[in-house]
Amino acid sequence: MNKTPFTTLEKLREIEKEYPTPFHIYDERGIRENAKALKEAFSWNKGYKEYFAVKATPNPFLIQILQEYGCGCDCSSMTELMMAKAVGCKGDDIMFSSNETPAEEYQYAKEIGAIINLDDITHIDFLEKAIGGIPKKISCRYNPGGVFKISNDIMDNPGDAKYGMTKEQIIEAFKILKSKGAEEFGIHAFLASNTVTNDYYPMLAKVLFELAVELKEKTGANITFINLSGGVGIPYRPDQEPNDIRAIGEGVRKVYEEVLVPAGMGDVALCTELGRFMMGPYGALVTKAVHEKHTYKEYIGCDACAANLMRPAIYGAYHHITVMGKENEPCDHVYDVVGSLCENNDKFAIDRKLPKIDMGDLLFIHDAGAHGFSMGYNYNGKLRSAEILLKEDGSYQMIRRAETPKDYFATFDCFPIYEKLLEDVDK
């Protein structure tokens, strides 16, 4: 697979004049085409709904694009719930999948009518006390334990994950919830992250569909939806093949007809909670080369840092880099591409073969559309960058402004030191 930027050097230079680097940029055309493909892939299921994982890219402008394709919001915190409500989601448009949840967040979820997905059996009593009862419609999160494999490949280790209930617990939870007035039930599970295989969702579906049949038999619960959650990944490396969402949808359909339909459960709606798959490839971090260093290695210093994209620093994750305007030049230089944090792991690439980089060159860091801006932070007093939407017609729009020192100091506004802090802000 060839990693090609979704925009040109000329367009980035144009944007840069108005919004200085670094900035995150998103491709509206790609987002729309992908959302349409997902919807078509699961169109065979009458009740299907994608709940976009807000945590991946919490920007209302982008969420509203997805809403045009019937997407709701998967939220895991109070502020994510607030954002979902602000963009017009309500009731069953919102799935609240959280863990170690404060009472006030359950209360707010009830207030806006979100579907609550319980992470643990002990949360039943906690929820009941927090909101004064049990909702008529509710979901529970399942963890099968052990190691999750596809063929001989270990995909992940659910047994070490903090999420979800054992089978015995979820059976008991359904019985308790039913006795407390719940009428509609859902099942949720997340067994692996960023899988690049068309087999993951069908395998997960089989696990959940068989569980649903067992739960119905043992508890009599009316199971109306099954949430396959996220985990469908993207190819960060050029040598990886992307997932085929239509093949995935067809694989899930086959398992649905093999397991659920014979059990009289052919009307169960399916849900997904995709974040990375929905936005990852359609966002990038654009940064400028501002320094070069020649010591024991060759370094290129950027005006972005791990505060703008922390995945390489904390996970050692690979993000492909294109030196804009030099796409056809030989990759005959080896660099560490680094940021300015006082941390040695602040590196976007290590020993990466790239074309010769000159100061002022723009670097396009691919696949930063999910868990990019959203994982940003203010260590070293670094400020979060702007977010730009590249529209289908070639125009662009700022959809989040860059932070300023005033934003950074804002939480001191109730102390006398605040005015002192602002003395140099407007200089």
Side-chain angles (χ1 to χ4, degrees), residues 20 50 54 86 89 93 137 148 169 185 190 196 238 246 253-254 259 269 302 307 358 368 387 401 421 427:
E50 154 67 4
V54 175
C89 288
D93 290 336
K137 187 173 188 176
F148 186 73
Q169 287 173 337
F185 291 81
F190 179 83
V196 189
R246 289 181 172 84
R253 183 191 65 79
K254 288 180 180 178
V259 179
C302 302
D358 297 301
E387 291 183 294
R401 68 167 175 80
L421 289 168
K427 289 184 179 179

Side-chain angles (χ1 to χ4, degrees), residues 252-273:
V252 173
R253 183 191 65 79
K254 288 180 180 178
V255 179
Y256 188 97
E257 293 182 355
E258 289 170 4
V259 179
L260 289 182
V261 173
M265 301 177 71
D267 58 348
V268 172
L270 297 185
C271 314
T272 54
E273 289 177 353

Side-chain angles (χ1 to χ4, degrees), residues 181-358:
E183 298 174 358
E184 288 187 57
F185 291 81
I187 308 169
H188 174 286
F190 179 83
L191 302 188
S193 179
N194 193 39
T195 61
V196 189
T197 167
N198 295 333
D199 296 330
Y200 169 63
Y201 249 17
M203 289 279 289
L204 170 63
K206 189 172 191 295
V207 170
L208 289 182
F209 295 169
E210 290 175 348
L211 175 66
V213 172
E214 184 175 349
L215 283 167
K216 182 182 178 183
E217 291 174 352
K218 292 184 176 179
T219 70
N222 177 27
I223 298 170
T224 60
F225 65 96
I226 295 174
N227 191 333
L228 301 177
S229 68
V232 176
I234 62 173
Y236 285 99
R237 294 179 178 273
D239 58 355
Q240 292 178 299
E241 285 297 318
N243 285 314
D244 182 342
I245 196 61
R246 289 181 172 84
I248 290 171
E250 177 62 15
V252 173
R253 183 191 65 79
K254 288 180 180 178
V255 179
Y256 188 97
E257 293 182 355
E258 289 170 4
V259 179
L260 289 182
V261 173
M265 301 177 71
D267 58 348
V268 172
L270 297 185
C271 314
T272 54
E273 289 177 353
L274 300 171
R276 192 189 319 260
F277 180 81
M278 299 304 292
M279 288 288 180
Y282 314 111
L285 173 61
V286 179
T287 181
K288 183 183 295 182
V290 293
H291 287 286
E292 56 186 321
K293 184 175 182 177
H294 317 283
T295 53
Y296 305 105
K297 303 183 77 172
E298 294 293 303
Y299 294 94
I300 294 296
C302 302
D303 58 5
C305 64
N308 304 108
L309 176 63
M310 68 186 299
R311 295 188 72 255
I314 63 171
Y315 301 132
Y318 180 94
H319 279 262
H320 198 64
I321 297 175
T322 295
V323 183
M324 298 301 292
K326 298 182 178 180
E327 293 88 342
N328 298 319
E329 294 187 14
C331 295
D332 53 4
H333 286 62
V334 178
Y335 297 113
D336 280 16
V337 181
V338 304
S340 59
L341 288 186
C342 297
E343 293 291 340
N344 198 42
N345 66 352
D346 182 19
K347 298 177 180 180
F348 295 115
I350 298 173
D351 296 329
R352 186 74 58 87
K353 291 182 178 180
L354 293 165
K356 182 180 183 301
I357 297 176
D358 297 301

Side-chain angles (χ1 to χ4, degrees), residues 356-375:
K356 182 180 183 301
I357 297 176
D358 297 301
M359 297 305 92
D361 279 349
L362 294 182
L363 308 184
F364 185 97
I365 304 180
H366 292 254
D367 301 316
H371 313 291
F373 180 94
S374 64
M375 294 178 75

Side-chain angles (χ1 to χ4, degrees), residues 404-415 418 421-422:
T404 68
K406 194 169 184 178
D407 296 318
Y408 182 74
F409 295 135
T411 48
F412 295 109
D413 62 357
C414 56
F415 300 101
Y418 183 61
L421 289 168
L422 296 186

